[in-house]
């Protein structure tokens, strides 16, 4: 009987060894299959940035907000265009002419960098502190003249329009542009005899500024 028991024990031992050897090999595939869900989950995490197109909306809004800046740029300010000339805007000179019995020719031009409009009326001319003013030698008013750069205008003064011996001598003439000019200019003219003086309008041509012609 003992001879039969020993072989059975050997068989049981052999089966146990085989089961142990087969266990690791059979478990390897199970581990590989178990890793598959973890690998598949990765794409779902990477897909999160798919909401990025929504960030394009602020960019479009920023472009619209720039429109007021572009609209703010407009034409340059021209408030000084067409301003009337004053005596302090001009440079004057005077000289004696022999035509028409002798008269004073006044010339004027705008100072550097100034552009202004001179009325076609006559300048306000006065002699001495007593204010002997010259009357208008012309009946009509001329056209306005724009002064700028080298443009020159002329007016003619007849210091003595009478035929008597009554006269007062002066060496300077006071020039204003209009009766309300706050800055009249005094320029030398040499010694002249003055009695009821008259003055022409401003003219662009010196030949048109001869009083009495």
């Amino acid at each position: 009987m003992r001879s039969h028991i020993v072989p059975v024990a050997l068989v049981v031992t052999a089966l146990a060894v085989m089961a142990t050897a087969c266990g690791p090999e059979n478990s390897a595939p199970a581990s590989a299959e178990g890793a598959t869900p973890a690998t598949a989950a990765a794409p779902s995490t990477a897909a999160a940035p798919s909401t990025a197109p929504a960030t394009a909306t602020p960019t479009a809004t920023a472009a619209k907000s720039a429109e007021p800046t572009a609209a703010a740029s407009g034409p340059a300010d021209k408030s000084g265009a067409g301003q009337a000339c004053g005596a302090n805007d001009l440079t004057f000179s005077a000289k004696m002419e022999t035509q028409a019995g002798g008269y004073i020719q006044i010339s004027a031009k705008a100072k550097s960098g100034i552009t202004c409009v001179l009325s076609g009326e006559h300048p306000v001319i006065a002699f001495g502190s007593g204010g002997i003013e010259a009357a208008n030698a012309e009946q009509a008013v001329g056209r306005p003249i724009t002064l700028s750069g080298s443009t020159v205008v002329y007016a003619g003064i007849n210091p003595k329009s009478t035929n008597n011996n009554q006269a007062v001598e002066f060496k300077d003439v006071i020039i204003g542009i209009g009766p309300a000019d706050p800055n009249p200019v005094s320029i030398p003219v040499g010694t002249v005899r003055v009695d009821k003086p008259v003055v022409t309008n401003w003219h662009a041509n010196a030949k048109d500024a001869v009083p009495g012609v």
Side-chain angles (χ1 to χ4, degrees):
M1 292 294 295
R2 296 177 64 146
S3 61
H4 292 287
I5 293 172
V6 173
V8 171
L10 292 174
V11 170
V12 171
T13 302
L15 289 173
V17 171
M18 291 177 64
T20 302
C22 292
E25 293 177 0
N26 292 337
S27 63
S31 300
E33 292 176 1
T36 302
T39 305
S44 64
T45 303
S50 62
T51 59
T55 61
T57 303
T59 303
T61 304
K64 290 182 179 180
S65 65
E67 292 178 0
T69 303
S73 60
D77 184 15
K78 298 181 179 180
S79 60
Q83 66 177 346
C85 296
N88 60 337
D89 296 320
L90 310 177
T91 299
F92 298 93
S93 61
K95 67 177 181 177
M96 294 298 300
E97 295 285 358
T98 59
Q99 189 177 356
Y103 73 99
I104 305 168
Q105 183 191 81
I106 301 293
S107 61
K109 66 178 182 178
K111 292 180 180 178
S112 177
I114 292 179
T115 298
C116 61
V117 177
L118 189 65
S119 167
E121 298 178 343
H122 64 88
V124 175
I125 299 297
F127 292 91
S129 58
I132 301 176
E133 290 192 18
N136 190 0
E138 300 184 56
Q139 299 299 321
V141 176
R143 294 182 178 180
I145 304 170
T146 298
L147 294 183
S148 180
S150 61
T151 302
V152 181
V153 291
Y154 305 90
I157 304 169
N158 181 356
K160 189 177 186 304
S161 63
T162 60
N163 293 321
N164 56 39
N165 294 325
Q166 182 180 347
V168 180
E169 291 186 349
F170 294 97
K171 294 184 178 180
D172 299 282
V173 61
I174 300 170
I175 305 172
I177 307 301
D181 193 330
N183 300 295
V185 175
S186 177
I187 61 172
V189 292
T191 302
V192 292
R193 290 166 54 83
V194 177
D195 184 38
K196 296 184 179 180
V198 294
V199 60
T200 68
N201 296 333
W202 290 111
H203 294 278
N205 191 329
K207 293 181 179 180
D208 296 327
V210 180
V213 176

